[in-house]
Amino acid sequence: SLSVAWRKGIKEISTGLSEVVDGTAVIEKSISLGGTLVQSSQRTTGSSQARYETKFCWLEVCSEMGEVLGHVQLDLADFCDGQQHRRVLQVWRPNSPASSLRLTLSIWAEGGSRFETAAAKA
């Protein structure tokens, strides 16, 4: 079984465990994050849409024993256009050769500051 978690200090939000079947764990529960993004003075070339300063978010992929199998990094500023995005990210593990573990995320922002992640596959 696998889960995806976001941690910051003592705060933690997790999807809960999902069974791995044929090498895939489909996680139905979303993780909602609230935060503040600072609007940049620069705009994307050819767009009137505001750009936000970089705001990194780390998600951890964990085993049922609580062991962190690896993590992925997202820049939340990339998802502030009101659209749903899909990303396939390689799970990174320190001091380890390239992992075959991938995380597929559906990400969207509400009001430019609230994020949801769903449909994680590992």
Side-chain angles (χ1 to χ4, degrees):
S1 294
L2 295 176
S3 67
V4 175
W6 169 83
R7 291 186 181 99
K8 185 170 183 173
I10 61 170
K11 297 182 205 175
E12 178 181 340
I13 303 170
S14 175
T15 60
L17 291 171
S18 292
E19 290 298 315
V20 178
V21 178
D22 295 328
T24 300
V26 177
I27 299 171
E28 299 294 335
K29 183 178 176 190
S30 295
I31 296 176
S32 295
L33 304 173
T36 302
L37 296 173
V38 177
Q39 197 167 355
S40 173
S41 59
Q42 299 177 350
R43 298 208 181 267
T44 306
T45 305
S47 172
S48 61
Q49 181 177 337
R51 175 73 182 138
Y52 293 91
E53 298 286 333
T54 298
K55 177 96 172 199
F56 288 115
C57 169
W58 293 86
L59 297 176
E60 296 176 337
V61 178
C62 304
S63 72
E64 62 188 317
M65 303 300 286
E67 175 190 6
V68 176
L69 302 175
H71 59 268
V72 297
Q73 177 182 345
L74 302 168
D75 179 358
L76 297 179
D78 290 341
F79 307 102
C80 293
D81 59 2
Q83 303 295 312
Q84 183 169 353
H85 298 266
R86 183 168 184 212
R87 296 283 193 276
V88 178
L89 304 166
Q90 174 138 359
V91 176
W92 182 79
R93 185 172 184 159
N95 304 319
S96 179
S99 169
S100 61
L101 198 57
R102 305 267 189 280
L103 189 63
T104 302
L105 299 173
S106 293
I107 306 163
W108 62 96
E110 295 176 357
S113 63
R114 179 183 161 107
F115 293 88
E116 303 262 342
T117 62
K121 294 183 183 179

